Amino acid sequence: SRRRRQSKMLLLVVALLSIFAVSCVGNSYVDMRPVSPYSWSEPVSILYQNSDTTALRDIAVAVRYNKNFDADTLSVVVQTSLPDAHQFSEQVILQFKQDYTAAAVTASEAVLYRSGCQLGQSGYYIFTITPTRAVEGVEAVGIAFTNLEDRP
């Protein structure tokens, strides 16, 4: 059907754009994964390799959404898997500003999840973000880290 073809094309475009969504600037890091903008309900996992066990970081959930996302909050479960295989999860309610300019098709926000965190183990952390209900209009989801000493 036409809608299915449009959905596949949109996912392809989002996937290609997500290649450019991983960025490292100074000691900041953002990694996002595309999701279906028609109905995001599946978990999104982000693998993060930590080598600095002393840095204090802010951790945010990054979300790119379009005009079909009409909520000002989004409830997600963030599960963190540590390098030593311990896991913990918690429900988080993200609040959005939804600042669109007149010509904007999408907007992105990084909503603070943890402030002043120290990732005390070297190795791979896995952050898995899952909405508590199906969500329309979200195009990509991820994690953003900012070292506190790098903040303005």
Side-chain angles (χ1 to χ4, degrees):
S1 79
R2 180 181 167 100
R3 183 176 168 111
R4 184 169 272 153
R5 282 192 311 262
Q6 287 176 334
S7 175
K8 286 181 181 180
M9 181 59 89
L10 181 59
L11 284 175
L12 176 63
V13 170
V14 170
L16 291 173
L17 290 174
S18 72
I19 293 171
F20 302 106
V22 176
S23 66
C24 297
V25 179
N27 288 329
S28 296
Y29 177 86
V30 178
D31 190 352
M32 297 181 76
R33 299 285 182 259
V35 299
S36 171
Y38 297 111
S39 181
W40 172 45
S41 59
E42 298 297 316
V44 171
S45 293
I46 304 294
L47 183 68
Y48 178 74
Q49 184 175 8
N50 183 50
S51 59
D52 187 344
T53 60
T54 61
L56 295 178
R57 299 174 177 91
D58 282 349
I59 303 175
V61 176
V63 179
R64 183 174 57 244
Y65 53 86
N66 61 40
K67 291 185 180 183
N68 292 328
F69 178 69
D70 58 3
D72 58 355
T73 61
L74 174 61
S75 178
V76 298
V77 174
V78 178
Q79 179 179 332
T80 306
S81 300
L82 283 61
D84 67 1
H86 283 90
Q87 296 181 351
F88 65 92
S89 65
E90 59 193 308
Q91 186 170 342
V92 179
I93 297 177
L94 308 174
Q95 293 189 326
F96 297 94
K97 299 174 192 157
Q98 292 202 3
D99 292 332
Y100 285 106
T101 61
V105 176
T106 64
S108 296
E109 293 188 43
V111 181
L112 188 62
Y113 161 60
R114 288 274 177 232
S115 182
C117 287
Q118 184 177 27
L119 302 179
Q121 299 177 23
S122 291
Y124 290 99
Y125 285 75
I126 302 170
F127 294 88
T128 303
I129 306 156
T130 308
T132 58
R133 63 174 176 78
V135 181
E136 183 180 358
V138 173
E139 296 183 354
V141 178
I143 294 287
F145 296 93
T146 304
N147 282 1
L148 293 182
E149 58 269 10
D150 294 339
R151 286 194 315 194

